[in-house]
Amino acid sequence: MKHLLSIESLHPQNITRFVDSAVNLKTRRGRHEHQPLEGQTWALIFSKSSTRTRVSFEVGIRELGGNSLFLSTNDIHLGRGEPIEDTARVLGRMIHGAVIRTGSQKHVEDFAELANIPTINALTDDEHPCQILADLLTIREKLGGWDDRKIAFVGDGFSNMTRTWCWAAKLLGFEFVIASPAAFQPPADFLARLEAPNVSVTDDPALAVAGADVIYTDVWLSMGQEDQKEKEAQFSSYQVNAALLKNAADGHIVLHCLPAYRGKEISGDILELHADTIFQQAENRLHAQKAVMARLANDRAV
Ligand code: CP
Ligand code: NVA
């Protein structure tokens, strides 16, 4: 595998392999004999804020023997109009891998093609594949796996997170239900392209959560939408709280990719009740991404 640009483009076996490898790397943290990034410099090119993604990649690169270089797009010429194509062709001659957070999925794909070095999508408007790998690792740890599980997503039904979950559900076959106001549900052309009978959409959060093993939420306003207060107002009955979870499956878990806004998409008491799982999920970003980088570096070397 050359890059990790989306979950949509993966084979199901690759997802399982990443999760297996992340389990192994997590167990052996601090005792890695193999340093697949030894002598390498990987750049993080970010045009959006980040706590978890930035830190987990920078730490992960070092733990695999490499050096990291954080490049905010405000600090490089990309932020003042130098084309992504030129940036890619320059950086591709200097660095060994790239981790990109930006809006446009096409920019990440163009960079990967022109830089010709392992490239990882660290969040675009279309997908957040690294987050999903960490989420699946958490589900494996907490519930033993995702087969025959029902996963409910409550909130913005067509954000980068929901889109990525849709592709994961299609590839892995678990039941995935999105509860979202009608205006924020996945459009018909996306669902037609997805072609996944195990993915369904409703505007009734109670229906989605009934019998669910995993209840997932994310911010109502994604990065860049902060001024869309009128959007937020439409989500008031889509909060993950104790009343909503009443009919979830016994032993259910609550996941949140973070950052969380208590009192909005999740109540403060539910976040704290499930904090062990949610912060384990955040930690799992490190292990999942190490698995991705190790695989890309190894595949590049052969
Ligand atoms: N979940 C996630 O990607 O967090 P950051 O925005 O802090 O990186
Ligand atoms: N949907 C959120 C995810 C943050 C990790 C955003 O794009 O801001």
Side-chain angles (χ1 to χ4, degrees), residues 20-22 40 53 59 92 121-122 156 166-167 175 193 196 205 217 248 268-269 277 281 289 291:
D20 291 345
S21 164
Q40 299 195 2
T53 309
V59 171
N121 174 355
D156 186 349
C166 283
W167 292 111
E175 184 183 357
R193 187 159 67 87
T217 190
D269 58 339
T277 308
Q281 177 191 3
Q289 290 155 195

Side-chain angles (χ1 to χ4, degrees), residues 146 148-152 174-177 207-214:
W146 44 80
D148 303 318
R149 297 293 186 178
K150 177 181 179 184
I151 300 181
F174 51 77
E175 184 183 357
F176 182 58
V177 185
L207 189 70
V209 168
D213 302 289
V214 179

Side-chain angles (χ1 to χ4, degrees), residues 49-54 101 122-123 128 131 223 257-259 285:
S49 306
S50 172
T51 300
R52 283 143 288 271
T53 309
R54 175 177 178 175
R101 169 168 286 204
L123 181 147
H128 196 0
Q131 180 68 55
M223 285 181 272
C257 55
L258 301 175
R285 297 293 305 279

